[in-house]
Amino acid sequence: MSFLSYMINGISLGSVYAIIALGYTMVYGIAKMLNFAHGDVIMVGGYAALTMLLNANASPLAAVLVSIVVCTVLGITIEAVAYRPLRAAASPLAVLITAIGVSYLLQNVVLLIFGSNPKNFQSVIPVPDLKLAGGALMITGETIVTIISCIVIMTVLTLFINRTRTGQAMQAVSEDKGAAQLMGINVNQTIALTFAIGSGLAAVAGVLLCSSYPSLSPYTGSMPGIKAFVAAVFGGIGSIPGAMIGGILLGVIEILAKAYISSQLADAIVFAVLIVVLLVKPTGLLGKQIQEKV
Amino acid sequence: MKKNSKIFRQNLITYGMVIAAFIVVQILQSTGHLSSLFTGLLVPICVYVILAVSLNLVVGISGELSLGHAGFMCVGAFAGAFFTKCTQDTITMVPLRFALAVLIGAIAAAIFGILIGIPVLRLKGDYLAIVTLAFGEIIKNILNVFYIGRDSNGFHMSMKDQFSLGMEADGKMLLGGPQGITGIPKNSSFLAGIILILITLFIVLNLINSRDGRAIMAIRDNRIAATSIGINITKYKLMAFTISAALAGMAGTLYSHNLATLQASKFNFNTSILALVFVVLGGIGNIRGSIIAAVVLTALPEMLRGLSNLRMLIYAIVLIAMMLFNWAPAAIDWRSRLKERLKHSRANGKEAA
């Protein structure tokens, strides 16, 4: 029974990773950049929701919506100010370092406003806990909501990418920017939209993460950010179902390693599994192997 | 021949810069113009200069993004400090012991470089970056749960806790898990740091201008073309990676002998990123740039200490602004236009005169 509950916890944590990884993977797929500030957008989302709950006495739903709006605007602004000018830079590393600068900036702005002490985040999820098998197996409301949101987000996003014209435009831009522009697609707008979606998802992930692990500090976002990045690579970066599978696998491995092997070595085990996967399949589980042409 | 002498001159300038900096600091120090804050920064600056130059070998010269450089520094730091702790009573000559510790640190890091490099260098681009990140985290995590002690029976090792070592009463803890290594003698000095920087520069600059270095850069510029003219990709990539790891290990040993306590958690992802920031800001592939960036960016947060809370904020803004200014095509255009206009107006001024 305990194995089952670990599995469920793992899937729940993995769902959060998957939602964060979606942001990473979409941005990578379309802009070919690693957005290291993504984890900090999650943290900003958490603080936005917390402020609404504490200072404005907003309902949980309103808090989540405000948090999504804040993060979306933040994502679009970051892209326009810090990343767009560097899109044609000589080295792809330039934008990576700028992303790190943005990450420091977000952490320190939040640090100045809210202080460095971790804030207690009360769960915004009104769903009651579910007791199964006569109370031997308990599934928290947070877990249920997290898993369901992950599935819903996944489905909607896949439909959006494959069925709408905007989604197709995204695919076209990720395939070939120049050709997409010639077909009349507004590349800048499409990339901005990708950042908007990714950051909006980060806000959702932030609220879910803080509801399950109720402590929020300016550095809350960095470790889940790195883990989600690992999840995205794990599943094959640029692939949306890959991010989902990668995220959930990562969450399950982490929780099981913590439970059965060593809580201190859990991270090391997660990373070791990643290395093994990449050595066997160098482009991740669902990544496309692109043959280099001479 | 002419080209060679030009390279030689450029290298001399780099060495001269380091030596000049050393002399200036010595003069300032002896005349008492150096604040205690800055004196405390001298060794860390040396550490980061070596780290930046060594990472530039991988990122700039070999063209691979490594996000786990702190891992090698960590290995070097622990190996060197461990050696010093073990031989504290047997080797009493401090400079000799420290030199040996640096050597041990470099060798240990180089071994890890080879072990990690063989599988990792098969990957490309961002995948390689994430695996180096993963290795960096693994090294840190494993060192965090390692306990080593020594008593009259020899060494004891455990991965659980201090008590499962089962040591005799006279046992001494050498490596204490998350507590790391404590009581390391403070053997690092600014002079030692400068000597190690010069050694690093000697190795890296000579490698770049050698046949091997040109092969490494050929692989960076075009992997397929390099293969087609018979360059052994794996060998040269591994060479750059291993040398870089060894140098980072050296920096680590210098770092650990500047602190009384050494903890693995200090070598986290942020340290790797910091080294990368030095490299990119100083100019990818530009060794002299790395040195300057490492010095400026290590000193900058300390110089801003008076602003306490604002200092990291300013650091972040300066970093973003410098990146945009240095790398954005629009900014580069604007700079060249400005230069053109200045030249023009100067020429006009001359004509008018």
Side-chain angles (χ1 to χ4, degrees), chain A residues 90 103 118 126 136 157 174-175 195 214 224 234 244 258 275 278 288 290:
Chain A
S103 157
L157 207 59
S174 105
E175 198 84 18
F195 269 86
F234 205 47
M244 172 98 169
K258 262 187 190 146
I275 291 169
L278 283 188
K288 268 181 283 182
I290 298 164

Side-chain angles (χ1 to χ4, degrees), chain B residues 93-104:
Chain B
M93 216 173 101
V94 173
L96 174 70
R97 194 180 63 207
F98 182 64
L100 283 175
V102 168
L103 196 64
I104 299 261

Side-chain angles (χ1 to χ4, degrees), chain A residues 212-271:
Chain A
S212 303
Y213 301 87
S215 157
L216 185 60
S217 84
Y219 310 106
T220 299
S222 51
M223 203 56 201
I226 294 176
K227 293 269 183 61
F229 170 38
V230 169
V233 177
F234 205 47
I237 197 156
S239 146
I240 289 181
M244 172 98 169
I245 294 173
I248 289 179
L249 271 180
L250 200 76
V252 170
I253 294 170
E254 185 180 331
I255 296 281
L256 289 183
K258 262 187 190 146
Y260 291 109
I261 304 175
S262 153
S263 61
Q264 286 162 310
L265 281 178
D267 285 352
I269 291 164
V270 168
F271 287 121

Side-chain angles (χ1 to χ4, degrees), chain B residues 203-335:
Chain B
I203 293 172
V204 172
L205 292 176
N206 276 307
L207 176 69
I208 294 175
N209 298 316
S210 68
R211 191 188 168 86
D212 292 339
R214 283 187 291 273
I216 294 170
M217 286 186 277
I219 297 169
R220 171 195 68 188
D221 292 338
N222 194 328
R223 196 182 172 113
I224 296 170
T227 328
S228 72
I229 55 166
I231 292 174
N232 185 342
I233 304 256
T234 320
K235 178 185 151 195
Y236 284 108
K237 274 194 179 295
L238 197 62
M239 181 195 270
F241 199 71
T242 311
I243 293 175
S244 166
L247 295 175
M250 222 162 78
T253 313
L254 184 67
Y255 179 79
S256 64
H257 288 72
N258 188 44
L259 304 162
T261 6
L262 180 68
Q263 286 160 345
S265 57
K266 288 216 172 90
F267 303 94
N268 55 14
F269 180 55
N270 284 336
T271 313
S272 304
I273 289 294
L274 194 68
L276 192 63
V277 170
F278 299 149
V279 170
V280 177
L281 202 61
I284 297 165
N286 185 337
I287 301 295
R288 213 183 294 158
S290 297
I291 301 178
I292 297 171
V295 173
V296 171
L297 286 187
T298 313
L300 183 68
E302 299 299 325
M303 298 292 136
L304 294 172
R305 197 167 272 283
L307 299 163
S308 61
N309 278 333
L310 285 174
R311 76 190 172 109
M312 283 313 286
L313 189 68
I314 294 174
Y315 181 86
I317 293 172
V318 168
L319 181 60
I320 298 173
M322 284 204 278
M323 286 313 294
L324 288 176
F325 185 75
N326 272 344
W327 286 94
I332 294 170
D333 266 7
W334 180 77
R335 261 162 37 208

